[in-house]
């Protein structure tokens, strides 16, 4: 009789305690699920519900603590603000247009739409690897930003690497991708002496990984087959104080390249190539 009475009483007491949850974690009534990041150790020595955090898988987040700036070239609505993007800005050694509309395929697919799509894909992949990613624009500006501001965004973020995403507008038959490196420039507000070396290393890794991911070949119309081109006339490079390159992912005016650039599956491969190139550079 005594045992029979004790069982319901104990059960009722346990149900009251369970409904209160763990007041330290503020999760009344909650319990870890199969997807939880917490697990209860088999012999924790603490009260029921005490949890221990799983250690982070550092191998899955190789870019934790790194800052990457991705610069989607041009802007889909630049065309609506011709006078504003045409104004001159200082690029250190000269002046240049604030921005341009970019090129497009013969069917009308704009470079600015391509660059924004690929940049967003790169951002998602880099974030999955633990990086903090800053986009210079995310389709949230009326125009631009201007080329000098694009450089400044990377500088202010103290980026470990910055990549400007573009596609070229060369003649039909001129195919392939290339990476533009900053020349050694010093004048006015420009001084690339501290970034030319690391920018070249970033560019070389991008060429290797972009080629492997997409199957595309380095440009057949510049760079002597290396996929690398040095320039001193781009404000986004001249004014940068962090390692930075441009990647021209293909020629939008060549039908064969355009077929790739307009294909979403190919753009995902392009994003993976860019992401891996950045990762290789940052992991040294």
């Amino acid at each position: 009789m005594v045992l029979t009475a004790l069982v319901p009483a104990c059960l009722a007491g346990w149900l009251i305690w369970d409904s209160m949850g763990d007041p330290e974690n503020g999760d009344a009534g909650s319990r870890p699920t199969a997807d939880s990041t917490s697990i209860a150790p088999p012999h924790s020595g603490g009260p029921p519900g005490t949890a221990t955090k799983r250690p982070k898988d550092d191998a899955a987040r190789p870019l934790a603590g790194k800052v990457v700036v991705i610069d989607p070239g041009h802007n889909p609505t630049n065309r609506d603000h011709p006078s504003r993007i045409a104004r001159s800005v200082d690029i250190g050694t000269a002046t240049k247009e604030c921005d341009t509309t970019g090129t497009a395929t013969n069917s009308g697919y704009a470079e600015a739409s391509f660059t924004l799509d690929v940049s967003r894909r790169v951002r998602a992949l880099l974030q999955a690897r633990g990086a903090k990613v800053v986009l210079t624009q995310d389709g949230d500006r009326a125009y631009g930003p201007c080329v000098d501001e694009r450089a400044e965004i990377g500088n202010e973020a103290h980026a470990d690497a910055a990549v400007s995403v573009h596609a070229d507008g060369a003649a039909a038959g001129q195919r392939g991708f290339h990476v533009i490196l900053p020349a050694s420039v010093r004048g006015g507000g420009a001084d690339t002496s501290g970034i030319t070396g690391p920018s070249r290393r970033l560019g070389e890794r991008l060429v290797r990984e972009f080629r492997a991911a997409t199957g595309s070949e380095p440009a057949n119309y510049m760079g002597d087959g290396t996929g690398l081109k040095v320039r001193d006339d781009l404000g986004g490079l001249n004014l940068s104080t962090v390692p930075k390159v441009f990647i021209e992912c293909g020629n939008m005016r060549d039908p064969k390249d355009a077929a790739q650039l307009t294909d979403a599956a190919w753009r995902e491969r392009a994003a993976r190539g860019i992401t891996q190139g950045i990762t290789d550079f940052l992991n040294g």
Side-chain angles (χ1 to χ4, degrees):
M1 292 291 292
V2 175
L3 179 62
T4 303
L6 284 173
V7 170
C10 292
L11 178 60
W14 181 87
L15 289 172
I16 292 171
W17 178 88
D18 184 66
S19 67
M20 293 172 66
D22 185 349
E24 186 174 344
N25 293 334
D27 57 348
S30 67
R31 287 292 178 268
T33 67
D35 294 327
S36 175
T37 58
S38 299
I39 56 173
H43 301 290
S44 65
T50 300
T52 300
K53 292 289 185 182
R54 287 192 179 103
K56 289 183 179 178
D57 184 357
D58 291 333
R61 294 173 61 81
L63 300 182
K66 300 296 186 180
V67 178
V68 181
V69 170
I70 301 298
D71 177 27
H74 312 289
N75 185 315
T77 55
N78 272 356
R79 64 181 181 275
D80 300 327
H81 304 276
S83 62
R84 293 189 175 187
I85 66 170
R87 66 185 177 86
S88 295
V89 297
D90 184 3
I91 65 168
T93 57
T95 59
K96 202 164 187 178
E97 297 168 291
C98 159
D99 203 4
T100 65
T101 58
T103 187
T105 65
N106 292 331
S107 63
Y109 180 55
E111 179 188 0
S113 297
F114 169 83
T115 64
L116 192 54
D117 179 85
V118 171
S119 295
R120 287 168 172 167
R121 294 173 189 267
V122 172
R123 175 176 60 187
L125 292 168
L126 288 170
Q127 287 175 335
R129 298 184 182 194
K132 175 184 176 182
V133 183
V134 177
L135 260 60
T136 59
Q137 58 97 4
D138 194 10
D140 52 356
R141 299 179 60 127
Y143 68 93
C146 295
V147 294
D148 55 342
E149 185 183 352
R150 290 175 186 268
E152 189 60 27
I153 290 169
N155 299 343
E156 290 184 351
H158 302 289
D160 295 289
V163 175
S164 190
V165 180
H166 287 262
D168 211 356
Q174 296 181 332
R175 297 196 61 197
F177 72 95
H178 65 279
V179 175
I180 304 173
L181 310 176
S184 181
V185 171
R186 181 175 293 180
D191 183 358
T192 63
S193 56
I195 68 164
T196 52
S199 295
R200 175 169 285 273
R201 292 193 295 273
L202 172 59
E204 289 170 347
R205 283 155 179 77
L206 281 172
V207 168
R208 181 181 66 199
E209 298 300 339
F210 192 87
R211 184 179 191 177
T214 64
S216 296
E217 292 297 321
N220 62 9
Y221 58 99
M222 65 173 60
D224 296 323
T226 65
L228 298 171
K229 175 70 174 178
V230 177
R231 289 179 60 174
D232 63 1
D233 62 330
L234 298 175
L237 296 182
N238 286 3
L239 300 174
S240 182
T241 59
V242 300
K244 184 174 183 180
V245 300
F246 282 41
I247 181 166
E248 299 277 3
C249 297
N251 177 15
M252 300 200 92
R253 306 314 294 267
D254 176 80
K256 292 180 180 179
D257 273 11
Q260 295 178 333
L261 298 167
T262 55
D263 179 64
W266 188 91
R267 293 197 299 273
E268 180 66 19
R269 293 196 294 274
R272 292 188 180 279
I274 293 170
T275 299
Q276 191 58 50
I278 293 170
T279 300
D280 290 354
F281 168 73
L282 293 178
N283 286 341

